[in-house]
Amino acid sequence: MAVYNYDVIVIGTGPAGEGAAMNAAKHGKKVAVIEQQQMVGGNCTHKGTIPSKALRHAVKQIIHFNTNRMFRDIGEPRFFSFPKVLERSNRVIEKQVALRTGFYARNRTDVFFGTARFVDPNTVEVRDHHNGIEFIKAEKIVIATGSRPYRPKDINFDHPRIYCSDSILSLSHTPRSIILYGAGVIGCEYASIFSGLGVKVDLIDNRERLLSFLDDEISDGLSYHLRNNGVLIRHNEEYESVEVVEQGVVLNLKSGKKLKADAFMWCNGRSGNTEELGLENIGLEVNGRGQLSVDDHYRTSIPHIYAAGDVIGWPSLASASYDQGRSAAADFLEEPAFRFIDDVPTGIYTIPEISSLGKNERELTEEKVPYEVGQAFFRTLARAQITGETTGMLKILFHRETLEILGIHCFGDQASEIVHIGQAVMAQKGEANTLNYFVNTTFNYPTMAEAYRVAAINGLNRVF
């Protein structure tokens, strides 16, 4: 029986695991990383962020080709199959795996491939893919096992017409129609992807509006553009059952409606990957979605065992997970740079994409904050007119008296990039964070960043 001793064990090689492992290794710790899949990268690289965003980019290019008048001179609009578009995401995954494998090699971090299970609070058993067993001991342990799609037991996900956000990446044909149950971030993103490929989409939402955590105007904009692209959105609906019929799938809703499509995709919720960790052996408990609770230093109820990333729930974003992993390691390394990740920009890769940071209008109104709004519509920007990406807007919410930036909300092409300019200003202290920065700064022209100047002047015109 092989037993290996390390300073730190990290379970999972997604963004949180990588962040923790690299930070510990850079500080001279002997680090072991355990990955259940046969390659590093975690679900982010193989099943989630990377493949879905690569898929989305390819579909966006197809839409651009099929709608751009200039391309009509060289041919008619083209049909691209879902499997063909998936090929691009697979190439990106290969590059990501090679890159991240190099990170561990350069930092002399040992990677164990297999299933991790706690034996005691300091010992982890690793069972590899050939049933070989090794034991690893360490003083500090970080659980970064990520999450997977929640799958109700009354739905047969083994059927070839029924999918979740993991299995959809193995779809071997292009359905003519699809039902997406769940209109959260994943559901809205895939609604954009499938509608962009010309698939008839039914998007089922169990709430009153799409992505209700967003600013209402941004949420309304997303609803309009999804509908404009042929997505039928049904709000306030809950599923009763899903049944397979001849040449299709039928979704029975509690409202009495019956919907039929070629395929069905469940997009409602995710569960933490904790069921195989043997947490009962060390007394750690999870909630109903398999997620671990941590304190404001990412420590579980066992002080030397940390958790970060999707396995702890909100915000379940790759960007935040990486920082959480780094901060978890920073805590046991006793680094002064530790920070609790609680101010994260939202990045939603619909078509067009959405990104936001800070308060929205609804929250500021409820808090009785005297705010004002500055807007820049992309259709007025020279850069957007040049690229043809004129859909969308940038919205700045600021304090009417101090001009402090309170929120940035962007809907449109490159929104997830544009938001970071506002984020940098909002991070400044005192008078450095005001609307005046955007008025008194010269932006390159033509750029999408110029939207900040336009929105700032628009906002000042409402105040003075």
Side-chain angles (χ1 to χ4, degrees):
M1 181 181 70
V3 179
Y4 302 92
N5 291 291
Y6 289 86
D7 298 319
V8 181
I9 296 171
V10 178
I11 307 175
T13 62
E18 181 183 301
M22 293 301 102
N23 198 10
K26 295 291 186 184
H27 285 79
K29 298 298 182 181
K30 186 179 180 183
V31 181
V33 174
I34 305 169
E35 173 54 53
Q36 189 173 41
Q37 300 184 70
Q38 296 184 2
M39 293 177 285
V40 301
N43 287 341
C44 172
T45 297
H46 296 281
K47 299 177 181 179
T49 301
I50 296 302
S52 65
K53 275 50 178 181
L55 179 63
R56 180 250 186 206
H57 179 72
V59 171
K60 189 170 180 292
Q61 289 180 308
I62 293 169
I63 294 172
H64 185 64
F65 176 84
N66 284 338
T67 58
N68 192 312
R69 292 181 181 179
M70 182 179 69
F71 292 126
R72 297 292 64 77
D73 294 337
I74 59 174
E76 293 302 312
R78 303 295 178 88
F79 168 78
F80 291 82
S81 69
F82 188 82
K84 185 69 175 178
V85 177
L86 273 177
E87 289 181 11
R88 174 178 171 80
S89 66
N90 291 333
R91 292 197 294 271
V92 176
I93 290 170
E94 291 171 1
K95 292 178 181 179
Q96 285 286 304
V97 169
L99 177 72
R100 300 188 183 287
T101 299
F103 292 164
Y104 294 106
R106 286 200 305 273
N107 288 280
R108 300 181 181 181
T109 299
D110 294 337
V111 181
F112 293 79
F113 291 99
T115 301
R117 185 175 180 83
F118 281 96
V119 176
D120 61 51
N122 292 94
T123 307
V124 177
E125 170 194 286
V126 182
R127 184 180 296 271
D128 66 25
H129 302 293
H130 304 287
N131 280 325
I133 298 177
E134 296 173 308
F135 293 89
I136 308 175
K137 301 178 72 72
E139 296 178 359
K140 305 292 183 182
I141 299 175
V142 180
I143 300 173
T145 48
S147 64
R148 67 187 185 283
Y150 168 68
R151 291 183 168 193
K153 293 181 180 179
D154 60 344
I155 297 178
N156 179 17
F157 287 93
D158 292 328
H159 194 278
R161 291 185 182 273
I162 298 177
Y163 301 89
C164 66
S165 58
D166 282 358
S167 59
I168 198 69
L169 297 172
S170 62
L171 181 63
S172 59
H173 68 288
T174 306
R176 291 182 178 275
S177 59
I178 189 168
I179 298 169
L180 305 179
Y181 185 83
V185 171
I186 293 174
C188 289
E189 289 180 350
Y190 272 99
S192 292
I193 288 170
F194 279 110
S195 65
L197 289 173
V199 178
K200 178 184 174 183
V201 177
D202 275 283
L203 180 61
I204 313 304
D205 186 11
N206 58 14
R207 299 184 180 182
E208 293 184 358
R209 64 186 304 121
L210 293 182
L211 306 179
S212 56
F213 59 88
L214 293 175
D215 184 90
D216 289 348
E217 193 170 7
I218 302 298
S219 174
D220 290 342
L222 174 63
S223 296
Y224 170 80
H225 286 285
L226 284 176
R227 289 190 173 100
N228 194 48
N229 290 327
V231 177
L232 180 57
I233 305 171
R234 301 175 189 268
H235 292 293
N236 296 315
E237 297 281 7
E238 293 187 23
Y239 90 100
E240 182 73 35
S241 64
V242 178
E243 58 182 311
V244 179
V245 297
E246 186 177 354
Q247 298 182 338
V249 181
V250 171
L251 171 64
N252 297 297
L253 297 170
K254 290 183 178 179
S255 64
K257 297 184 183 70
K258 290 180 179 289
L259 310 178
K260 183 182 178 182
D262 292 340
F264 173 85
M265 180 178 172
W266 180 272
C267 310
N268 198 30
R270 297 185 67 84
S271 301
N273 293 323
T274 52
E275 70 284 349
E276 296 183 301
L277 285 174
L279 298 180
E280 66 277 4
N281 296 333
I282 57 174
L284 276 184
E285 296 182 354
V286 296
N287 64 18
R289 283 293 176 94
Q291 298 165 341
L292 286 162
S293 296
V294 295
D295 64 13
D296 59 2
H297 281 251
Y298 299 104
R299 295 172 296 208
T300 67
S301 58
I302 301 175
H304 73 275
I305 298 179
Y306 292 71
D310 282 16
V311 76
I312 66 172
W314 186 91
S316 295
L317 295 169
S319 55
S321 295
Y322 187 84
D323 288 344
Q324 288 172 345
R326 283 186 57 82
S327 285
D331 185 74
F332 61 70
L333 293 168
E334 298 182 350
E335 274 191 292
F338 171 87
R339 69 185 179 98
F340 184 73
I341 314 302
D342 60 354
D343 192 14
V344 181
T346 298
I348 302 170
Y349 294 86
T350 48
I351 303 173
E353 62 192 59
I354 297 169
S355 195
S356 62
L357 180 69
K359 301 286 187 178
N360 60 42
E361 287 201 63
R362 184 175 59 256
E363 292 169 333
L364 293 173
T365 299
E366 292 173 354
E367 295 170 11
K368 295 182 172 56
V369 175
Y371 75 92
E372 195 48 87
V373 183
Q375 296 174 318
F377 293 96
F378 286 3
R379 66 176 182 271
T380 68
L381 302 179
R383 183 60 176 267
Q385 293 168 358
I386 291 168
T387 62
E389 300 285 358
T390 55
T391 296
M393 65 177 295
L394 173 68
K395 182 174 183 178
I396 302 175
L397 305 181
F398 62 96
H399 196 285
R400 184 177 180 86
E401 297 166 2
T402 66
L403 303 185
E404 176 188 2
I405 308 298
L406 304 172
I408 301 289
H409 305 275
C410 190
F411 174 55
D413 186 48
Q414 302 181 58
S416 59
E417 303 282 355
I418 293 168
V419 73
H420 291 301
I421 299 171
Q423 181 186 34
V425 176
M426 289 178 69
Q428 305 307 305
K429 304 298 182 183
E431 295 182 359
N433 173 20
T434 74
L435 201 67
N436 288 328
Y437 173 86
F438 301 121
V439 177
N440 299 327
T441 297
T442 302
F443 289 88
N444 281 334
Y445 177 85
T447 60
M448 296 304 295
E450 183 201 4
Y452 278 98
R453 178 181 60 80
V454 175
I457 293 174
N458 175 266
L460 288 178
N461 287 339
R462 298 177 190 277
V463 174
F464 299 108

